[in-house]
Each structure stands twice: as C-alpha cells, then as structure tokens.
Amino acid sequence: EAQLVESGGGLVQPGGSLRLSCAASGFGFSTTTMYWVRQAPGKGLEWVSIITNDGGDTYYTDSVRGRFTASRDNAKNTLYLQMNSLKTEDTAVYYCATDPVGTRRGQGTQVTVSS
C-alpha cells in the first residue's frame, strides 16, 4: 500500500525559510513523477511543484517560482521542498502527491507564515 508522510512544517515569519520532507513507501518512488500541492484556508488544492522521477526536471507554479525548490533522494525514497522568502500567502497545508490534483497524497504538514 502506498504511503506518503510529510514533515517539516511550522510557523515562520515572512521572509523566512522552511524545508519540507516527504517519506514515500509502498510504490515505485524512483520511477514516479512527484508533486507538491497545497491547500490554503478556504481554498481548493493547488499544485505547487512537479519533479520528474530522476529529479532532472522541475516545474513550479508562477507564485512560487524562484523561491521554492523541489528535490528528491531516490535512494532514501524521500521528496523535499525548500521554501525560501516565504510570504503570508504561502500559508497552507502542504502535501506530497503522485498526481497534480492530490488524489493520492499524505496527511499534509501545516505551514503558517505570519509575523
């Protein structure tokens, strides 16, 4: 059974940084394109980033491009999201997922950006 477990969220001031992690198990992580998606309060799921199975290509939604960096360690079955220059509008629950709409995702980790 596929399992995704996110961690690393927390409360941070605007301009700060956080690094999220996602531990994957129960499926072929190294052959799977992975996604980060988020859900802000009162809003639907929004894809944030895409990283191909080998980590060679990454894509970002416009609002985070240049501030967020997705990476992965296939030897450790782990996905990462480095988030820099955080803004209040980045406040959301962040999920790793195996599809861009988050059909198969973890339980999420809360990121709150506030002064």
Side-chain angles (χ1 to χ4, degrees):
E1 180 181 350
Q3 188 171 17
L4 299 164
V5 180
E6 302 91 341
S7 61
L11 173 63
V12 63
Q13 292 186 340
S17 297
L18 283 173
R19 189 192 194 204
L20 306 184
S21 298
C22 168
S25 62
F27 66 101
F29 179 79
S30 64
T31 60
T32 302
T33 292
M34 293 296 296
Y35 302 79
W36 285 101
V37 299
R38 66 185 179 185
Q39 186 166 26
K43 297 188 177 181
L45 284 169
E46 171 193 31
W47 78 271
V48 174
S49 72
I50 306 168
I51 182 167
T52 54
N53 67 296
D54 63 356
D57 292 292
T58 53
Y59 306 90
Y60 303 92
T61 193
D62 288 347
S63 61
V64 309
R65 189 175 299 116
R67 300 188 297 120
F68 290 12
T69 303
S71 62
R72 64 194 296 162
D73 185 338
N74 285 346
K76 296 182 178 179
N77 280 7
T78 303
L79 179 71
Y80 303 100
L81 186 67
Q82 178 67 44
M83 305 187 298
N84 299 329
S85 302
L86 281 161
K87 304 177 180 180
T88 56
E89 53 263 43
D90 294 318
T91 294
V93 179
Y94 284 73
Y95 303 89
C96 60
T98 58
D99 61 275
V101 296
T103 303
R104 185 165 72 175
R105 64 184 187 269
Q107 85 292 343
T109 187
Q110 175 70 50
V111 171
T112 302
V113 185
S114 174
S115 55

